[in-house]
Amino acid sequence: MNRFEYLEVTTLEMAGKLAAEKGAAVRAGGVDVQDLLKEHLIEPASVVSIRNVPNLQEIKAGENISIGPRVTLAQLAADRAVASKARAIAISAGEAASPQIRNQATCAGNLLQRPRCWYFRNEELLCARKGGPECLAHDGENQYHAIFGNKNCAIVHPSNLAPALIAFDATVKTVKVGGARREISVAALFVTPETDIHKEHVLEPGEMMESIEVPAAALAGGAKSAFAVVREKQTYDWPLLCAAVKLTMDGKNIKDARIVLGAVCPVPLRRENAEKLLIGKSLDESAARVAATAAFDGATPLAQNGYKVPMGIAMLMRAILEAGGLS
Amino acid sequence: MTKKNYDREETLKLGFAGNVVEKKVKLADDQAKPWDLDTKFQYAGKHIPRFDGLAKASGRAKYSYDMNFPGMLHARIVRANIPNGKITDIDVSGAEAIPGVKATMLLKKVGDRVRFDGEGVAAVCATNLEIAEDAMRAVVVTYEKMAHAVIVDDASKDGAPIVDKGDTNKSPESVNINPREVSEDEINKRFAAADAKVEATYRTQVQTHSALETHGGVAKWDKDSSGNPTLTVWASTQGSFSVLDGLCGNLKLDRSQVEVICEYMGGGFGAKFGADQPTLVAANLAKKAGAPVKCMLNRKEEHLAGGNRPDSIHHVRAGATDGKIVVFDVTNYGTGGYTGGAGARNIMIYDMGASRKVEYAVKTNCGPATAMRAPGHPQGSFVLEQVVDELAEKLNMDPIEFRLKNDRYPMRKAQYEKAMELIDWSRRNKKGGEGALAGTGPKKRGLGVGASTWGQNGNRDGTAMAVIINADGGVEVRNGCQDIGTGTRTIIGICAAEALGCPLENMKVRLGHTRDPYGPASGGSVTAPTVTAAAKDAGHAAKLAFLDKISKKLSVDAAKLDISLGKVFVKDDPAKSWNWHDACKLLGVETVEVTKERSDNFRANFSGQVGGVQIAEVEVDTETGVVRVIKVVAVHDAGLVIDRLTFESQILGGVIQGMSFALFENRVMDRKSGKMLNNNLESYKIPGSLDMPEIVTVAFDISNGHNSAGVAGLGEPTVIPTAGAIANAIANATGVRVRSLPMTPDKVLAALAAKGGSR
Ligand SMILES: Cc1cc2nc3c(=O)[nH]c(=O)nc-3n(C[C@H](O)[C@H](O)[C@H](O)COP(=O)(O)OP(=O)(O)OC[C@H]3O[C@@H](n4cnc5c(N)ncnc54)[C@H](O)[C@@H]3O)c2cc1C
């Protein structure tokens, strides 16, 4: 890594100001920031840690759930209220990475981490996302890459948490430099390569995440959810695919459904076409299969990642049944 | 000491329970009877914790990586960032201008070729690692780039870019036909006539050693009392004396001027022989800068330049008739990187009838292959065991029954029986993918088997042990070899204590100082059978010397004394005895110091090879393609078991590394840029705790009588059969074969899809 000045602040606004004005890298758990520094993908003049900012590590669960930005994945995974009200969110956190990483990784950092594509992560390779002429995965080693939305850049969105949060209509509350606040739905947080190939989220420089909110409406009515993931290894490995499913049931009938896929597209991918196929149906294997199959309609696999389609259908079908209590 | 001047002959009981033979061996007059089946051991054969277990677990054990000295500098190696080309300029001035940079050196000169991305070009050292890193990045190397090829398929094409020298990347084919009188025609005829035939292509991947401790060392120059330079190097090595030789040669020093120290090291797996580049960089920069230098590779460098196991593409034809393999015809292409050399070993274990093997080594612009735990064998075994299974299947025979008809070694027969019992082989699906074990759901289970062999009995290579007995009762054994993590220190101590008769807790073992007596480099599973015999011989010699000394003080003829269970006693009047500490006190201000060279191996013995059988149970999720290994039963023999814990630990390590080879590890090269894409331990995959199967280890007791300790090598055979056993278990679970490593979900799904769907 380059030489940098290390700073600690006591408010998010101060961190944001340093980021916006001095190009400081904001460090929460540092899992991703440190990797980027080590590979010289970022070379900031300063790194500002928010570890001394108070009250960022709380989970408040009542009618709604409010998650502090520095809540760790381990903390979120172990939280009883979250596990009972929004099971998919807890599991998505608990299935990520390894215990050591989950102890360090924060929720805000998880949403805002940069892609893990091995072309992007190699300092010596200039891919489209880093200003190069083309996506190097297209003609390269693309077994772990996107099967949707991969025309300009084939990264997959790396966050486990994002699909689960989107399934629960979660939002993030932010504060901008100067103090203006806004609330953005997690579904609208991410940027496709077609919109802007050089960034993955809509936050402005210096805009800081103050909390992640799961609204009461999404938790009401006994919503049931599941989070599924397929990995080559069972620890310390990235998902080949993951999916969050949330069903609102009326007996055996599905009143409402959310299906969000991870690790298939440069952004978390909500599949409304598949959701529609479930709503109003009674849940059984065949309904689950029809919806799961539809969720992968329109996939555009690359040379080495076609396997994600059948694998994804099987995984999603199981997740739907599990969410509905049928597995 | 009373010398007996005649050639003794002793009869040894060799073999294993149910298969015991007697063999006569000739012994030198001062040699103790070799250990055999009749030996009553005090320590050997039990579960004995490692002598250094606590030191390692508590962090007190110091590895090369941990060595730090006042004023020590840190070195980094500047590496080529292109896969093929000629160096047109190397400019280190920018690096030298950075404050804190103390010395630089060139590893290549202008005009030299670089042949892989990651090849060392220059080196720098500085007061801390961060400055050294900056300096490394400030060295400017320019190249005349050349086209490259980083995978076998690209490098063996007509008109492929030339990787290094010459006009082709393919080395002249080596053709081996066995037996010699068989012609090519005969091979073809036999294949045509066989009852059961297999014709298929199998692929294995490049595996990197991925030892936890990377390559390198710390070098420190001093002066001896007459002002001559001396060099001490703490090296992470599996060959302390080969590092010593390498340093002497490179720096033009006498052996007396150099000491290599390796008390602890974090794994080598075959990639750490000799004075490697980082160690030589440390020594040379330390000389230039006039300060100690540490040069250890980082993980990326380790993957790029630290060695690897070559891949293989096997095209196989094999046939069996009447339950016997009659023909095995294989053509293999593999790459050992730019240096070539990529042999796979698969004609072993079974009687193959007539065989032909044609092998090509294909050079690629990749880091050079080095020996890796059973070089050539795991890749060959993956192919062989599947071929054998497929033949059995076509003959409608149980795969173990078929193996036994084609395997003449009796101990493997007993090992199959043990393994079958422990895994309950009767559960195996009679037909792949169908049966109670496979079940009817999407997750299907199956059983698969693989066998292994090795034959390493150690050498009389000059290995010697020094044994020092002190008046306080303490005993120290010294040998200059290293313990690469296998438990060498512990088994030396056990054997020496066993032979000497002292209490085990009084025994200390100092390893890894090359000023101590010579010991072997740890390759070919040679260390245990070499050093255990040496430790037994030396322990016995120390006992004679000790008894000789104290006999005078006790006024008893030394020949009438013996030591056992920590007591010195009079042989024909055992009630007359002295405990160890009291006996040692008699030494007064003296010590007993004996250095004894290892005795020779014996020709008369039970078996020239060791055997092993592994059976794996897997669960295949036929919808996602994910394979979980549920259980592995691994039965291995390697002569007399000295420490059951370290023996079992070798089996565990072999199974885990074998499973990792089977399912996870894979060096991924980008063909366009020539770079390794997964040059870390995040996307270069090694299993973690949740991936671990239940591993049932069986240390199969056998005495094969090759050396005085009766010990054979175990490190390598344990890693050989695992991938084949897992592949066969996948086939048994699903009814489809995955003929390419690693057997990742995408490949499993593809194999299932080719057969026509998952259910
Ligand atoms: C080997 C490995 C395996 C992994 N596997 C998985 C996996 O399976 N699934 C998964 O989801 N993740 C996985 N991860 C990723 C890991 O979860 C993330 O790297 C981690 O969550 C990042 O959190 P952090 O707090 O360390 O972020 P940091 O590295 O500190 O920050 C990341 C980014 O977020 C920004 N940021 C942090 N907090 C705020 C805030 N409050 N406001 C504004 N910006 C902020 C930072 O500025 C930075 O840009 C894995 C990581 C590794 C190394």
Side-chain angles (χ1 to χ4, degrees):
Chain A
M1 45 186 91
N2 62 304
R3 280 164 182 274
F4 54 80
E5 184 187 15
Y6 177 73
L7 306 164
E8 289 185 346
V9 292
T10 51
T11 66
L12 287 178
E13 288 86 336
M14 286 162 77
K17 202 161 178 301
L18 287 165
E21 288 168 12
K22 293 180 76 178
V26 175
R27 182 187 192 278
V31 176
D32 200 39
V33 165
Q34 227 136 293
D35 269 358
L36 296 167
L37 283 166
K38 261 164 63 185
E39 192 60 26
H40 292 264
L41 293 179
I42 55 172
E43 294 186 322
S46 53
V47 172
V48 55
S49 169
I50 55 170
R51 67 178 187 149
N52 290 337
V53 178
N55 305 327
L56 301 183
Q57 241 184 324
E58 281 167 53
I59 301 173
K60 290 181 216 131
E63 296 274 273
N64 62 336
I65 299 173
S66 176
I67 302 165
R70 276 191 54 239
V71 166
T72 64
L73 296 183
Q75 208 185 331
L76 188 62
D79 192 277
R80 294 221 180 140
V82 176
S84 73
K85 288 169 188 270
R87 194 166 158 264
I89 294 177
I91 295 176
S92 76
E95 287 284 329
S98 67
Q100 294 93 326
I101 293 170
R102 292 197 293 274
N103 282 334
Q104 186 68 17
T106 69
C107 291
N110 186 272
L111 292 177
L112 302 178
Q113 62 177 310
R114 302 222 61 195
R116 302 305 295 202
C117 164
W118 46 27
Y119 291 98
F120 174 77
R121 287 277 165 170
N122 191 322
E123 181 197 359
E124 294 163 2
L125 294 171
L126 190 63
C127 72
R129 185 161 293 272
K130 292 188 289 190
E134 58 184 359
C135 168
L136 300 175
H138 279 164
D139 274 337
E141 299 299 316
N142 50 39
Q143 55 266 52
Y144 301 130
H145 285 79
I147 54 170
F148 288 101
N150 51 12
K151 201 167 118 260
N152 296 333
C153 165
I155 62 159
V156 295
H157 198 272
S159 168
N160 273 25
L161 206 49
L165 290 174
I166 293 170
F168 279 86
D169 299 333
T171 60
V172 295
K173 286 189 172 163
T174 68
V175 54
K176 296 191 196 186
V177 179
R181 291 190 151 76
R182 64 169 168 163
E183 188 166 353
I184 311 165
S185 76
V186 176
L189 184 62
F190 303 106
V191 175
T192 65
E194 285 63 44
T195 306
D196 184 346
I197 200 167
H198 304 303
K199 62 189 215 184
E200 292 90 41
H201 59 77
V202 299
L203 299 194
E204 294 166 12
E207 183 172 2
M208 299 298 299
M209 206 183 279
E210 290 186 304
S211 71
I212 300 166
E213 303 289 334
V214 184
L219 301 170
K224 294 176 160 185
S225 65
F227 185 86
V229 46
V230 181
R231 281 180 297 248
E232 290 181 350
K233 288 195 303 175
Q234 300 314 308
T235 32
Y236 194 69
D237 200 6
W238 292 86
L240 296 170
L241 287 159
C242 62
V245 175
K246 178 172 154 266
L247 301 177
T248 312
M249 305 291 292
D250 180 7
K252 277 204 75 184
N253 283 329
I254 303 166
K255 266 173 49 187
D256 195 14
R258 285 281 189 289
I259 294 175
V260 190
L261 304 177
V264 294
C265 177
V267 297
L269 195 64
R270 183 166 165 199
R271 300 305 279 161
E272 284 170 86
N273 64 327
E275 294 169 3
K276 284 202 191 100
L277 292 170
L278 288 175
I279 296 167
K281 299 268 161 53
S282 115
L283 180 61
D284 59 16
E285 272 208 22
S286 98
R289 177 173 294 120
V290 169
T293 307
F296 286 84
D297 277 356
T300 54
L302 305 167
Q304 299 172 344
N305 65 6
Y307 69 89
K308 285 194 177 191
V309 173
M311 177 189 282
I313 292 171
M315 176 195 74
L316 181 56
M317 186 182 146
R318 288 180 194 175
I320 293 169
L321 292 172
E322 188 191 326
L326 287 190
S327 70
Chain B
M1 206 190 311
T2 41
K3 277 249 172 191
K4 298 172 209 129
N5 292 316
Y6 53 87
D7 259 359
R8 264 163 61 222
E9 195 174 69
E10 290 270 9
T11 303
L12 302 184
K13 274 215 178 120
L14 304 177
F16 57 93
N19 201 329
V20 179
V21 298
E22 293 194 348
K23 298 268 174 170
K24 289 191 168 39
V25 293
K26 296 239 181 211
L27 299 175
D29 51 11
D30 62 347
Q31 199 177 350
K33 187 182 172 187
W35 291 334
D36 68 358
L37 289 176
D38 274 351
T39 309
K40 299 270 172 298
F41 291 107
Q42 299 174 34
Y43 309 120
K46 301 201 171 76
H47 290 85
I48 297 171
R50 287 174 191 241
F51 286 17
D52 48 15
L54 193 60
K56 285 184 173 182
S58 62
R60 259 177 280 143
K62 292 290 173 243
Y63 294 73
S64 301
Y65 226 116
D66 298 323
M67 300 314 300
N68 290 303
F69 298 98
M72 187 182 80
L73 306 173
H74 295 261
R76 299 294 290 126
I77 294 175
V78 179
R79 294 181 181 277
N81 60 3
I82 60 159
N84 199 4
K86 250 196 199 119
I87 298 173
T88 53
D89 191 35
I90 308 174
D91 182 2
V92 295
S93 60
E96 285 173 341
I98 296 175
V101 174
K102 297 297 181 190
T104 63
M105 70 185 279
L106 297 186
L107 303 172
K108 296 244 176 215
K109 5 179 240 313
V110 171
D112 282 353
R113 184 85 172 262
V114 297
R115 294 146 302 186
F116 68 98
D117 182 279
E119 190 167 359
V121 174
V124 300
C125 67
T127 46
N128 66 39
L129 193 58
E130 290 73 25
I131 297 175
E133 193 103 19
D134 286 347
M136 173 190 85
R137 296 172 71 85
V139 173
V140 182
V141 186
T142 47
Y143 303 93
E144 178 192 321
K145 289 186 190 166
M146 295 171 165
H148 63 268
V150 292
I151 65 170
V152 169
D153 312 59
D154 291 346
S156 52
K157 272 202 290 247
D158 287 342
I162 297 302
V163 164
D164 188 14
K165 297 184 200 85
D167 51 14
T168 173
N169 298 320
K170 259 199 249 177
S171 80
E173 64 192 85
S174 77
V175 183
N176 263 308
I177 296 193
N178 194 28
R180 283 224 188 93
E181 54 280 9
V182 173
S183 65
E184 224 175 293
D185 269 0
E186 173 72 12
I187 300 266
N188 292 331
K189 263 209 325 246
R190 283 193 182 212
F191 183 70
D195 287 353
K197 291 176 206 183
V198 171
E199 187 162 11
T201 297
Y202 302 81
R203 283 175 177 258
T204 67
Q205 76 283 42
V206 174
Q207 180 183 27
T208 68
H209 297 67
S210 297
L212 271 189
E213 189 184 35
T214 57
H215 284 73
V218 178
K220 187 168 176 283
W221 292 81
D222 288 299
K223 285 199 162 49
D224 68 14
S225 49
S226 35
N228 295 315
T230 62
L231 171 64
T232 309
V233 169
W234 288 262
S236 178
T237 183
Q238 55 194 99
S240 50
F241 289 94
S242 60
V243 176
L244 177 68
D245 285 344
L247 287 165
C248 289
N250 182 269
L251 293 150
K252 312 270 177 300
L253 296 169
D254 296 339
R255 269 189 167 228
S256 67
Q257 292 171 281
V258 185
E259 182 173 28
V260 173
I261 298 175
C262 177
E263 290 197 345
Y264 297 95
M265 63 89 73
F269 302 118
K272 288 185 181 166
F273 295 108
D276 50 32
Q277 190 171 60
T279 305
L280 292 175
V281 161
N284 281 283
L285 284 178
K287 188 174 175 187
K288 217 170 160 182
V293 170
K294 180 188 285 190
C295 185
M296 303 287 299
L297 301 189
N298 65 23
R299 186 55 58 186
K300 175 178 169 185
E301 297 175 286
E302 190 72 8
H303 277 306
L304 298 181
N308 56 68
R309 182 191 293 286
D311 60 2
S312 72
I313 306 171
H314 283 83
H315 303 292
V316 180
R317 293 192 306 167
T321 298
D322 278 343
K324 286 283 217 182
I325 303 167
V326 292
V327 63
F328 186 74
D329 184 13
V330 54
T331 306
N332 175 35
Y333 299 77
T335 185
Y338 79 87
T339 52
R345 308 268 167 276
N346 34 30
I347 300 173
M348 52 186 195
I349 304 179
Y350 309 108
D351 300 324
M352 305 304 289
S355 65
R356 173 173 61 175
K357 178 154 186 169
V358 183
E359 214 153 28
Y360 299 87
V362 181
K363 285 183 191 169
T364 53
N365 292 109
C366 297
T370 52
M372 182 166 182
R373 201 173 188 175
H377 286 261
Q379 55 267 53
S381 167
F382 171 72
V383 177
L384 176 71
E385 295 295 351
Q386 291 216 73
V387 169
V388 168
D389 243 49
E390 289 181 69
L391 288 173
E393 204 175 295
K394 293 200 165 145
L395 292 170
N396 260 323
M397 282 178 74
D398 176 278
I400 291 181
E401 186 197 337
F402 181 67
R403 280 172 171 79
L404 287 174
K405 270 193 97 161
N406 291 279
D407 181 354
R408 65 181 91 155
Y409 278 92
M411 72 267 192
R412 229 170 1 244
K413 181 165 191 291
Q415 292 169 348
Y416 277 115
E417 280 158 14
K418 185 82 199 160
M420 285 163 82
E421 172 201 322
L422 288 171
I423 200 110
D424 188 3
W425 184 250
S426 67
R427 293 180 303 137
R428 180 177 177 275
N429 303 306
K430 296 292 167 288
K431 188 160 186 285
E434 293 169 27
L437 186 60
T440 50
K443 292 186 180 173
K444 297 187 180 299
R445 288 198 180 190
L447 297 178
V449 66
S452 90
T453 184
W454 203 255
Q456 180 54 258
N457 302 293
N459 301 307
R460 177 182 184 171
D461 57 355
T463 292
M465 299 276 160
V467 183
I468 300 137
I469 305 173
N470 289 304
D472 63 6
V475 183
E476 191 181 23
V477 177
R478 293 182 180 176
N479 179 269
C481 85
Q482 60 298 318
D483 182 339
I484 65 166
T486 52
T488 304
R489 182 176 276 111
T490 306
I491 57 173
I492 287 176
I494 294 170
C495 288
E498 188 78 53
L500 171 58
C502 73
L504 190 62
E505 61 269 21
N506 288 37
M507 178 61 70
K508 276 199 191 125
V509 180
R510 176 166 113 150
L511 288 188
H513 292 251
T514 55
R515 292 204 193 283
D516 287 335
Y518 179 79
S522 296
S525 303
V526 75
T527 306
T530 299
V531 301
T532 50
K536 175 192 188 310
D537 295 342
H540 181 70
K543 170 160 124 178
L544 298 184
F546 177 69
L547 292 178
D548 192 50
K549 267 206 177 149
I550 63 167
S551 65
K552 290 172 193 123
K553 314 233 162 136
L554 293 171
S555 305
V556 185
D557 184 359
K560 291 192 171 158
L561 292 171
D562 202 353
I563 317 175
S564 175
L565 290 167
K567 275 207 167 93
V568 177
F569 62 95
V570 178
K571 282 188 220 169
D572 42 20
D573 183 10
K576 214 167 161 196
S577 69
W578 300 264
N579 78 34
W580 177 256
H581 279 96
D582 293 340
C584 288
K585 263 188 215 142
L586 297 172
L587 292 174
V589 295
E590 290 186 79
T591 56
V592 174
E593 296 192 29
V594 172
T595 298
K596 180 82 180 165
E597 201 187 325
R598 182 192 186 275
S599 56
D600 222 335
N601 284 2
F602 305 117
R603 280 208 199 96
N605 53 62
F606 173 71
S607 166
Q609 61 160 275
V610 303
V613 167
Q614 293 184 9
I615 302 183
E617 176 170 355
V618 303
E619 183 176 274
V620 183
D621 187 328
T622 55
E623 293 178 345
T624 63
V626 174
V627 176
R628 307 284 316 262
V629 182
I630 304 296
K631 183 172 180 174
V632 176
V633 171
V635 185
H636 288 268
D637 71 271
L640 288 170
V641 178
I642 300 301
D643 183 347
R644 229 159 264 279
L645 275 181
T646 59
F647 195 106
E648 288 166 1
S649 166
Q650 279 304 293
I651 303 180
L652 291 174
V655 169
I656 292 168
Q657 200 167 32
M659 178 185 81
S660 187
F661 179 60
L663 299 182
F664 304 120
E665 295 185 48
N666 187 16
R667 184 185 73 182
V668 180
M669 298 299 298
D670 182 50
R671 292 159 75 187
K672 247 191 196 165
S673 64
K675 290 183 187 296
M676 179 180 176
L677 292 173
N678 55 346
N679 56 30
N680 48 51
L681 287 181
E682 176 188 325
S683 40
Y684 185 91
K685 300 188 180 184
I686 308 273
S689 49
L690 290 180
D691 300 299
M692 288 306 145
E694 177 191 355
I695 304 173
V696 180
T697 61
V698 178
F700 188 88
D701 295 275
I702 183 167
S703 179
N704 50 20
H706 279 280
N707 53 49
S708 64
V711 170
L714 178 70
E716 287 166 297
T718 56
V719 81
I720 295 172
T722 320
I726 291 172
N728 287 335
I730 292 173
N732 187 243
T734 61
V736 300
R737 291 218 164 253
V738 182
R739 296 194 178 88
S740 167
L741 288 179
M743 296 177 281
T744 42
D746 53 334
K747 292 181 190 164
V748 174
L749 287 178
L752 285 163
K755 184 195 138 200
S758 56
R759 292 210 226 185

